[in-house]
Amino acid sequence: MSNTIKVQLVKGLIGTRQDHRATVRGLGLRRVNSVSVLEDTPSVRGMINKVSYLVKVVS
């Protein structure tokens, strides 16, 4: 379990760019405060960095 990462959606998607909404959806997040457990890979890190103003990494 050491190479997993938990991501939480902390801000709504209304008014955001379409590709950012698709990225959040790709992370497995649907609504505000939903949490997704993902593998800690460079591609997932890049997705998190792209929408860093919408999500939070929780431990």
Side-chain angles (χ1 to χ4, degrees), residues 2-32:
S2 62
N3 39 347
T4 60
I5 190 166
K6 273 187 179 178
V7 183
Q8 180 179 16
L9 185 64
V10 293
K11 192 173 178 194
L13 299 178
I14 294 176
T16 59
R17 293 176 39 166
Q18 189 68 37
D19 61 323
H20 288 196
R21 282 182 235 166
T23 302
V24 168
R25 197 69 188 90
L27 288 170
L29 302 170
R30 290 180 178 261
R31 55 183 66 90
V32 177

mmCIF file of all heavy atoms in Angstrom, residues 2-32:
data_model
loop_
_atom_site.group_PDB
_atom_site.id
_atom_site.type_symbol
_atom_site.label_atom_id
_atom_site.label_comp_id
_atom_site.label_asym_id
_atom_site.label_seq_id
_atom_site.Cartn_x
_atom_site.Cartn_y
_atom_site.Cartn_z
ATOM 1 N N SER A 2 2.178 1.138 -0.022
ATOM 2 C CA SER A 2 3.028 2.324 0.062
ATOM 3 C C SER A 2 3.025 3.120 -1.241
ATOM 4 O O SER A 2 3.282 4.312 -1.218
ATOM 5 C CB SER A 2 4.453 1.920 0.409
ATOM 6 O OG SER A 2 4.989 1.105 -0.606
ATOM 7 N N ASN A 3 2.727 2.485 -2.366
ATOM 8 C CA ASN A 3 2.728 3.232 -3.613
ATOM 9 C C ASN A 3 1.306 3.520 -4.107
ATOM 10 O O ASN A 3 0.998 3.349 -5.270
ATOM 11 C CB ASN A 3 3.566 2.544 -4.686
ATOM 12 C CG ASN A 3 3.416 1.054 -4.683
ATOM 13 O OD1 ASN A 3 2.876 0.491 -3.751
ATOM 14 N ND2 ASN A 3 3.887 0.401 -5.704
ATOM 15 N N THR A 4 0.459 3.958 -3.187
ATOM 16 C CA THR A 4 -0.858 4.461 -3.553
ATOM 17 C C THR A 4 -0.988 5.882 -3.040
ATOM 18 O O THR A 4 -0.248 6.310 -2.154
ATOM 19 C CB THR A 4 -1.993 3.601 -2.972
ATOM 20 O OG1 THR A 4 -1.894 3.602 -1.551
ATOM 21 C CG2 THR A 4 -1.948 2.182 -3.500
ATOM 22 N N ILE A 5 -1.936 6.613 -3.616
ATOM 23 C CA ILE A 5 -2.139 8.000 -3.256
ATOM 24 C C ILE A 5 -3.643 8.256 -3.197
ATOM 25 O O ILE A 5 -4.393 7.735 -4.025
ATOM 26 C CB ILE A 5 -1.426 8.913 -4.280
ATOM 27 C CG1 ILE A 5 -1.396 10.343 -3.826
ATOM 28 C CG2 ILE A 5 -2.000 8.800 -5.645
ATOM 29 C CD1 ILE A 5 -0.430 11.185 -4.632
ATOM 30 N N LYS A 6 -4.096 8.985 -2.179
ATOM 31 C CA LYS A 6 -5.508 9.321 -2.023
ATOM 32 C C LYS A 6 -5.724 10.753 -2.469
ATOM 33 O O LYS A 6 -5.022 11.660 -2.021
ATOM 34 C CB LYS A 6 -5.933 9.211 -0.561
ATOM 35 C CG LYS A 6 -6.367 7.871 -0.100
ATOM 36 C CD LYS A 6 -6.912 7.986 1.301
ATOM 37 C CE LYS A 6 -7.391 6.658 1.809
ATOM 38 N NZ LYS A 6 -7.885 6.777 3.182
ATOM 39 N N VAL A 7 -6.702 10.951 -3.346
ATOM 40 C CA VAL A 7 -7.003 12.274 -3.881
ATOM 41 C C VAL A 7 -8.451 12.606 -3.561
ATOM 42 O O VAL A 7 -9.328 11.756 -3.721
ATOM 43 C CB VAL A 7 -6.773 12.310 -5.407
ATOM 44 C CG1 VAL A 7 -7.013 13.688 -5.956
ATOM 45 C CG2 VAL A 7 -5.386 11.841 -5.755
ATOM 46 N N GLN A 8 -8.691 13.845 -3.102
ATOM 47 C CA GLN A 8 -10.041 14.285 -2.760
ATOM 48 C C GLN A 8 -10.383 15.525 -3.571
ATOM 49 O O GLN A 8 -9.576 16.449 -3.681
ATOM 50 C CB GLN A 8 -10.123 14.603 -1.268
ATOM 51 C CG GLN A 8 -11.488 15.073 -0.822
ATOM 52 C CD GLN A 8 -11.529 15.364 0.663
ATOM 53 O OE1 GLN A 8 -10.501 15.496 1.313
ATOM 54 N NE2 GLN A 8 -12.717 15.484 1.191
ATOM 55 N N LEU A 9 -11.588 15.551 -4.137
ATOM 56 C CA LEU A 9 -12.076 16.721 -4.859
ATOM 57 C C LEU A 9 -12.601 17.728 -3.842
ATOM 58 O O LEU A 9 -13.505 17.410 -3.071
ATOM 59 C CB LEU A 9 -13.183 16.314 -5.839
ATOM 60 C CG LEU A 9 -13.720 17.392 -6.759
ATOM 61 C CD1 LEU A 9 -12.627 17.887 -7.700
ATOM 62 C CD2 LEU A 9 -14.898 16.880 -7.559
ATOM 63 N N VAL A 10 -12.020 18.925 -3.809
ATOM 64 C CA VAL A 10 -12.384 19.900 -2.782
ATOM 65 C C VAL A 10 -13.123 21.110 -3.355
ATOM 66 O O VAL A 10 -13.599 21.943 -2.599
ATOM 67 C CB VAL A 10 -11.144 20.390 -2.000
ATOM 68 C CG1 VAL A 10 -10.551 19.262 -1.188
ATOM 69 C CG2 VAL A 10 -10.131 21.009 -2.916
ATOM 70 N N LYS A 11 -13.236 21.205 -4.672
ATOM 71 C CA LYS A 11 -13.905 22.346 -5.298
ATOM 72 C C LYS A 11 -14.763 21.833 -6.440
ATOM 73 O O LYS A 11 -14.397 20.871 -7.121
ATOM 74 C CB LYS A 11 -12.850 23.328 -5.806
ATOM 75 C CG LYS A 11 -13.394 24.668 -6.207
ATOM 76 C CD LYS A 11 -12.268 25.621 -6.542
ATOM 77 C CE LYS A 11 -12.862 26.944 -6.977
ATOM 78 N NZ LYS A 11 -11.855 27.780 -7.615
ATOM 79 N N GLY A 12 -15.895 22.474 -6.667
ATOM 80 C CA GLY A 12 -16.804 22.056 -7.726
ATOM 81 C C GLY A 12 -16.245 22.320 -9.113
ATOM 82 O O GLY A 12 -15.323 23.119 -9.291
ATOM 83 N N LEU A 13 -16.828 21.670 -10.097
ATOM 84 C CA LEU A 13 -16.314 21.740 -11.462
ATOM 85 C C LEU A 13 -17.024 22.765 -12.340
ATOM 86 O O LEU A 13 -16.626 22.970 -13.474
ATOM 87 C CB LEU A 13 -16.420 20.359 -12.112
ATOM 88 C CG LEU A 13 -15.627 19.249 -11.435
ATOM 89 C CD1 LEU A 13 -15.875 17.939 -12.149
ATOM 90 C CD2 LEU A 13 -14.165 19.581 -11.406
ATOM 91 N N ILE A 14 -18.053 23.411 -11.833
ATOM 92 C CA ILE A 14 -18.780 24.393 -12.638
ATOM 93 C C ILE A 14 -17.864 25.576 -12.922
ATOM 94 O O ILE A 14 -17.220 26.116 -12.020
ATOM 95 C CB ILE A 14 -20.060 24.852 -11.912
ATOM 96 C CG1 ILE A 14 -21.027 23.687 -11.810
ATOM 97 C CG2 ILE A 14 -20.698 26.030 -12.631
ATOM 98 C CD1 ILE A 14 -22.277 23.987 -11.039
ATOM 99 N N GLY A 15 -17.783 25.953 -14.168
ATOM 100 C CA GLY A 15 -16.956 27.083 -14.569
ATOM 101 C C GLY A 15 -15.524 26.721 -14.898
ATOM 102 O O GLY A 15 -14.735 27.605 -15.214
ATOM 103 N N THR A 16 -15.177 25.438 -14.815
ATOM 104 C CA THR A 16 -13.815 25.025 -15.141
ATOM 105 C C THR A 16 -13.732 24.607 -16.603
ATOM 106 O O THR A 16 -14.744 24.395 -17.264
ATOM 107 C CB THR A 16 -13.367 23.858 -14.241
ATOM 108 O OG1 THR A 16 -14.258 22.757 -14.426
ATOM 109 C CG2 THR A 16 -13.360 24.265 -12.784
ATOM 110 N N ARG A 17 -12.518 24.478 -17.080
ATOM 111 C CA ARG A 17 -12.311 24.078 -18.477
ATOM 112 C C ARG A 17 -12.732 22.627 -18.693
ATOM 113 O O ARG A 17 -12.664 21.803 -17.782
ATOM 114 C CB ARG A 17 -10.837 24.231 -18.838
ATOM 115 C CG ARG A 17 -10.385 25.679 -18.846
ATOM 116 C CD ARG A 17 -8.910 25.807 -19.114
ATOM 117 N NE ARG A 17 -8.444 24.866 -20.122
ATOM 118 C CZ ARG A 17 -7.267 24.962 -20.726
ATOM 119 N NH1 ARG A 17 -6.439 25.922 -20.408
ATOM 120 N NH2 ARG A 17 -6.895 24.074 -21.625
ATOM 121 N N GLN A 18 -13.137 22.347 -19.909
ATOM 122 C CA GLN A 18 -13.625 21.006 -20.247
ATOM 123 C C GLN A 18 -12.543 19.945 -20.056
ATOM 124 O O GLN A 18 -12.817 18.859 -19.542
ATOM 125 C CB GLN A 18 -14.127 20.990 -21.691
ATOM 126 C CG GLN A 18 -14.859 19.719 -22.075
ATOM 127 C CD GLN A 18 -16.181 19.566 -21.361
ATOM 128 O OE1 GLN A 18 -16.884 20.540 -21.136
ATOM 129 N NE2 GLN A 18 -16.523 18.351 -20.999
ATOM 130 N N ASP A 19 -11.303 20.252 -20.435
ATOM 131 C CA ASP A 19 -10.244 19.251 -20.285
ATOM 132 C C ASP A 19 -9.890 19.033 -18.816
ATOM 133 O O ASP A 19 -9.476 17.941 -18.430
ATOM 134 C CB ASP A 19 -9.009 19.623 -21.103
ATOM 135 C CG ASP A 19 -8.392 20.942 -20.688
ATOM 136 O OD1 ASP A 19 -9.145 21.866 -20.338
ATOM 137 O OD2 ASP A 19 -7.149 21.047 -20.716
ATOM 138 N N HIS A 20 -10.083 20.047 -17.975
ATOM 139 C CA HIS A 20 -9.844 19.853 -16.544
ATOM 140 C C HIS A 20 -10.931 18.980 -15.935
ATOM 141 O O HIS A 20 -10.653 18.151 -15.069
ATOM 142 C CB HIS A 20 -9.782 21.207 -15.827
ATOM 143 C CG HIS A 20 -8.537 21.979 -16.142
ATOM 144 N ND1 HIS A 20 -8.117 23.036 -15.398
ATOM 145 C CD2 HIS A 20 -7.612 21.830 -17.122
ATOM 146 C CE1 HIS A 20 -6.986 23.512 -15.890
ATOM 147 N NE2 HIS A 20 -6.671 22.803 -16.953
ATOM 148 N N ARG A 21 -12.164 19.156 -16.394
ATOM 149 C CA ARG A 21 -13.248 18.283 -15.932
ATOM 150 C C ARG A 21 -12.972 16.839 -16.326
ATOM 151 O O ARG A 21 -13.204 15.916 -15.533
ATOM 152 C CB ARG A 21 -14.578 18.718 -16.533
ATOM 153 C CG ARG A 21 -15.172 19.920 -15.861
ATOM 154 C CD ARG A 21 -16.494 20.265 -16.475
ATOM 155 N NE ARG A 21 -16.419 21.657 -16.903
ATOM 156 C CZ ARG A 21 -17.266 22.254 -17.712
ATOM 157 N NH1 ARG A 21 -18.280 21.588 -18.210
ATOM 158 N NH2 ARG A 21 -17.124 23.506 -18.030
ATOM 159 N N ALA A 22 -12.465 16.645 -17.530
ATOM 160 C CA ALA A 22 -12.155 15.293 -17.991
ATOM 161 C C ALA A 22 -11.009 14.686 -17.175
ATOM 162 O O ALA A 22 -11.022 13.485 -16.878
ATOM 163 C CB ALA A 22 -11.792 15.326 -19.474
ATOM 164 N N THR A 23 -10.053 15.510 -16.784
ATOM 165 C CA THR A 23 -8.943 15.023 -15.961
ATOM 166 C C THR A 23 -9.438 14.589 -14.596
ATOM 167 O O THR A 23 -9.041 13.533 -14.080
ATOM 168 C CB THR A 23 -7.874 16.119 -15.818
ATOM 169 O OG1 THR A 23 -7.423 16.486 -17.123
ATOM 170 C CG2 THR A 23 -6.700 15.632 -15.002
ATOM 171 N N VAL A 24 -10.311 15.392 -13.978
ATOM 172 C CA VAL A 24 -10.879 15.026 -12.678
ATOM 173 C C VAL A 24 -11.656 13.736 -12.798
ATOM 174 O O VAL A 24 -11.569 12.851 -11.941
ATOM 175 C CB VAL A 24 -11.769 16.171 -12.136
ATOM 176 C CG1 VAL A 24 -12.589 15.712 -10.948
ATOM 177 C CG2 VAL A 24 -10.919 17.370 -11.764
ATOM 178 N N ARG A 25 -12.395 13.591 -13.869
ATOM 179 C CA ARG A 25 -13.161 12.363 -14.109
ATOM 180 C C ARG A 25 -12.221 11.177 -14.286
ATOM 181 O O ARG A 25 -12.490 10.072 -13.822
ATOM 182 C CB ARG A 25 -14.026 12.575 -15.351
ATOM 183 C CG ARG A 25 -15.150 11.623 -15.529
ATOM 184 C CD ARG A 25 -16.240 11.829 -14.476
ATOM 185 N NE ARG A 25 -17.188 10.760 -14.611
ATOM 186 C CZ ARG A 25 -17.081 9.611 -13.943
ATOM 187 N NH1 ARG A 25 -16.120 9.427 -13.069
ATOM 188 N NH2 ARG A 25 -17.961 8.656 -14.131
ATOM 189 N N GLY A 26 -11.097 11.409 -14.950
ATOM 190 C CA GLY A 26 -10.095 10.370 -15.144
ATOM 191 C C GLY A 26 -9.446 9.926 -13.842
ATOM 192 O O GLY A 26 -8.975 8.797 -13.734
ATOM 193 N N LEU A 27 -9.417 10.820 -12.866
ATOM 194 C CA LEU A 27 -8.894 10.472 -11.547
ATOM 195 C C LEU A 27 -9.911 9.691 -10.729
ATOM 196 O O LEU A 27 -9.607 9.249 -9.621
ATOM 197 C CB LEU A 27 -8.493 11.747 -10.787
ATOM 198 C CG LEU A 27 -7.242 12.462 -11.282
ATOM 199 C CD1 LEU A 27 -7.110 13.817 -10.614
ATOM 200 C CD2 LEU A 27 -6.010 11.618 -11.018
ATOM 201 N N GLY A 28 -11.124 9.529 -11.247
ATOM 202 C CA GLY A 28 -12.144 8.752 -10.552
ATOM 203 C C GLY A 28 -12.954 9.553 -9.561
ATOM 204 O O GLY A 28 -13.584 8.975 -8.676
ATOM 205 N N LEU A 29 -12.957 10.870 -9.696
ATOM 206 C CA LEU A 29 -13.686 11.733 -8.776
ATOM 207 C C LEU A 29 -14.965 12.212 -9.439
ATOM 208 O O LEU A 29 -14.955 12.624 -10.594
ATOM 209 C CB LEU A 29 -12.813 12.933 -8.376
ATOM 210 C CG LEU A 29 -11.485 12.557 -7.731
ATOM 211 C CD1 LEU A 29 -10.602 13.782 -7.602
ATOM 212 C CD2 LEU A 29 -11.700 11.922 -6.384
ATOM 213 N N ARG A 30 -16.067 12.181 -8.696
ATOM 214 C CA ARG A 30 -17.353 12.556 -9.253
ATOM 215 C C ARG A 30 -17.904 13.832 -8.640
ATOM 216 O O ARG A 30 -18.227 14.768 -9.331
ATOM 217 C CB ARG A 30 -18.376 11.439 -9.071
ATOM 218 C CG ARG A 30 -18.105 10.240 -9.927
ATOM 219 C CD ARG A 30 -19.176 9.192 -9.680
ATOM 220 N NE ARG A 30 -18.969 8.035 -10.528
ATOM 221 C CZ ARG A 30 -19.631 7.828 -11.654
ATOM 222 N NH1 ARG A 30 -20.524 8.683 -12.078
ATOM 223 N NH2 ARG A 30 -19.400 6.748 -12.363
ATOM 224 N N ARG A 31 -18.030 13.868 -7.317
ATOM 225 C CA ARG A 31 -18.626 15.034 -6.666
ATOM 226 C C ARG A 31 -17.697 15.558 -5.585
ATOM 227 O O ARG A 31 -16.720 14.896 -5.224
ATOM 228 C CB ARG A 31 -20.001 14.696 -6.112
ATOM 229 C CG ARG A 31 -20.025 13.520 -5.164
ATOM 230 C CD ARG A 31 -21.429 13.185 -4.716
ATOM 231 N NE ARG A 31 -22.267 12.696 -5.801
ATOM 232 C CZ ARG A 31 -22.393 11.427 -6.147
ATOM 233 N NH1 ARG A 31 -21.734 10.502 -5.499
ATOM 234 N NH2 ARG A 31 -23.180 11.078 -7.138
ATOM 235 N N VAL A 32 -18.000 16.737 -5.080
ATOM 236 C CA VAL A 32 -17.157 17.376 -4.073
ATOM 237 C C VAL A 32 -17.033 16.456 -2.858
ATOM 238 O O VAL A 32 -17.997 15.816 -2.444
ATOM 239 C CB VAL A 32 -17.743 18.747 -3.671
ATOM 240 C CG1 VAL A 32 -16.907 19.387 -2.575
ATOM 241 C CG2 VAL A 32 -17.823 19.659 -4.874
#
